[in-house]
Amino acid sequence: MENWDVIIIGAGSAGLSAGIYTVRSGLKTLILDEKLPGGTISDASIVVNYPGFAEISGGELAEKMTNHCKKVGAVIHELEPVTELEFNGEKKIVNTSNASYEASAIIFSMGSHYKEVGVKGEKEFRGRGVSYCGVCDGPFFKGKKVLVVGGGNSACITTLYLSGLAGQVTVIHRREAFRAEESLVTDIAAKGNVTTLWNTEIQEIKGDKQVKTVTIIDNVTKQTSELAVDAVFVQVGEAPNSQIAKASGVETDEHGYIKIDIHQHTNMPGVFAAGDVTNHPIKQVGTAVGQGITAALEAYSYIRRPYYKK
Ligand SMILES: Cc1cc2nc3c(=O)[nH]c(=O)nc-3n(C[C@H](O)[C@H](O)[C@H](O)COP(=O)(O)OP(=O)(O)OC[C@H]3O[C@@H](n4cnc5c(N)ncnc54)[C@H](O)[C@@H]3O)c2cc1C
């Protein structure tokens, strides 16, 4: 069985940053990804909030991070999903679709996925008006008409954020009241440019090069109508890719996010987690990078136990 100092599961912003630091600390590092390296940011048409890059496509940023990580000497296995972990002894066993590896430390960085609302046009217009991230894409719709789909905390926070940028924000929620913190609900009610449509669901997203209209339905009267919008922000929840961690005994919160302390330690010795898969409240490239670096240096301390940590 191949032996590594550290195995990083997930080659997104968190995992690649962790890899740069573990390799440069002298740790023999393997990074595994079920897809191609780069992670979720590859889906962003444009990124304008990652320091040092005033404007860069998500794909290019992901490629730069991947190349940087490879250049320092990390070994990246792409298209190799991790299926199972065994944390019984000092050494940790990582089973993938085609091999088993052994490591002294593990860093989980599998990210999360946004839930889709599942309507016609959603996939087609993703990145062309359909977005899952208000902070990421909201600034592209300054003064425009936007729609938010959802009724929980994320939908309300996104609505408030967008109300400061867009000309008009419409929120549609399939129930008759938000399921969100009271203060968020009060703040939304006070916004002059926000309209809320209760008992309303989205049926279809239409457009040409960009989103132009949506079909919505009142689920009580069953009446459909067309709404002209420039963007649709789907906020019906997100879920961490934490199943393999959970199955190995790593503690998660009630939503499945891996619980970490401020040093990115999980409840298991030598097992760390970073990025969107953790219960850190902010899900951005910058925070994933910072957490990846902390996890890497903590893994180094765990393996080498340097004198200044004793
Ligand atoms: C459309 C869009 C636009 C965005 N725009 C911005 C923006 O402008 N600015 C910003 O800061 N953030 C933005 N974000 C958020 C940003 O992409 C994430 O916060 C960031 O990618 C999190 O990095 P991560 O490394 O934690 O996870 P990810 O980048 O999601 O990487 C996780 C990796 O783990 C792999 N993986 C999962 N499970 C397994 C497994 N079992 N075995 C092996 N590999 C596995 C996945 O294939 C993936 O490559 C955007 C997100 C989206 C969806």
Side-chain angles (χ1 to χ4, degrees):
M1 194 185 300
E2 271 183 39
N3 194 289
W4 298 82
D5 289 325
V6 56
I7 293 182
I8 299 170
I9 306 171
S13 311
L16 294 168
S17 307
I20 291 168
Y21 275 72
T22 52
V23 170
R24 288 181 48 77
S25 301
L27 299 179
K28 198 179 157 207
T29 303
L30 173 65
I31 308 181
L32 297 162
D33 202 294
E34 64 182 7
K35 298 184 188 154
L36 296 175
T40 307
I41 198 59
S42 318
D43 291 350
S45 48
I46 197 129
V47 178
V48 290
N49 55 11
Y50 186 64
F53 297 91
E55 190 176 317
I56 185 167
S57 78
E60 196 184 342
L61 183 58
E63 196 184 332
K64 280 184 185 295
M65 285 188 184
T66 305
N67 289 342
H68 185 170
C69 195
K70 284 181 179 166
K71 192 174 175 208
V72 298
V75 175
I76 304 178
H77 289 189
E78 59 193 39
L79 305 175
E80 187 172 341
V82 173
T83 51
E84 202 194 2
L85 298 136
E86 295 165 41
F87 291 159
N88 300 322
E90 178 78 1
K91 289 283 178 191
K92 283 113 186 129
I93 312 290
V94 177
N95 298 314
T96 72
S97 52
N98 46 354
S100 287
Y101 307 97
E102 206 176 50
S104 303
I106 299 290
I107 299 176
F108 287 120
S109 49
M110 293 89 72
S112 65
H113 58 276
Y114 292 97
K115 289 185 187 160
E116 294 185 349
V117 71
V119 296
K120 198 170 168 208
E122 182 176 14
K123 280 195 167 58
E124 189 186 338
F125 288 104
R126 190 173 178 147
R128 296 193 288 133
V130 172
S131 168
Y132 298 82
C133 179
V135 176
C136 313
D137 298 328
F140 300 118
F141 299 97
K142 275 191 186 136
K144 303 267 171 107
K145 289 184 195 151
V146 303
L147 179 78
V148 178
V149 182
N153 277 336
S154 306
C156 289
I157 291 167
T158 299
T159 299
L160 288 171
Y161 178 76
L162 293 173
S163 71
L165 295 167
Q168 176 66 42
V169 185
T170 305
V171 200
I172 59 166
H173 183 34
R174 62 193 168 124
R175 302 179 200 277
E176 57 191 16
F178 287 123
R179 283 186 171 184
E181 285 167 27
E182 197 53 46
S183 63
L184 296 173
V185 177
T186 313
D187 288 351
I188 287 178
K191 294 284 175 193
N193 63 342
V194 177
T195 308
T196 306
L197 303 177
W198 304 118
N199 299 312
T200 304
E201 295 175 42
I202 188 164
Q203 277 197 323
E204 189 176 348
I205 300 167
K206 297 180 214 164
D208 39 44
K209 281 186 185 146
Q210 285 285 322
V211 168
K212 289 269 186 285
T213 60
V214 290
T215 309
I216 53 174
I217 181 165
D218 182 313
N219 61 25
V220 177
T221 63
K222 304 292 177 212
Q223 263 202 333
T224 58
S225 50
E226 296 284 305
L227 199 65
V229 291
D230 301 291
V232 179
F233 288 86
V234 178
Q235 292 289 304
V236 295
E238 55 186 77
N241 303 322
S242 61
Q243 300 85 337
I244 49 162
K246 212 173 164 181
S248 67
V250 168
E251 220 180 308
T252 57
D253 69 9
E254 69 272 31
H255 304 293
Y257 291 94
I258 298 175
K259 281 191 183 176
I260 38 134
D261 66 12
I262 57 160
H263 303 290
Q264 309 302 134
H265 291 226
T266 69
N267 60 312
M268 294 201 157
V271 180
F272 308 86
D276 285 10
V277 77
T278 72
N279 64 345
H280 187 277
I282 309 300
K283 314 283 187 215
Q284 291 282 280
V285 173
T287 48
V289 166
Q291 289 185 67
I293 293 168
T294 305
L297 296 178
E298 288 296 308
Y300 169 75
S301 292
Y302 174 79
I303 296 169
R304 297 280 190 258
R305 303 190 209 285
Y307 72 90
Y308 54 83
K309 280 275 186 179
K310 280 178 188 150

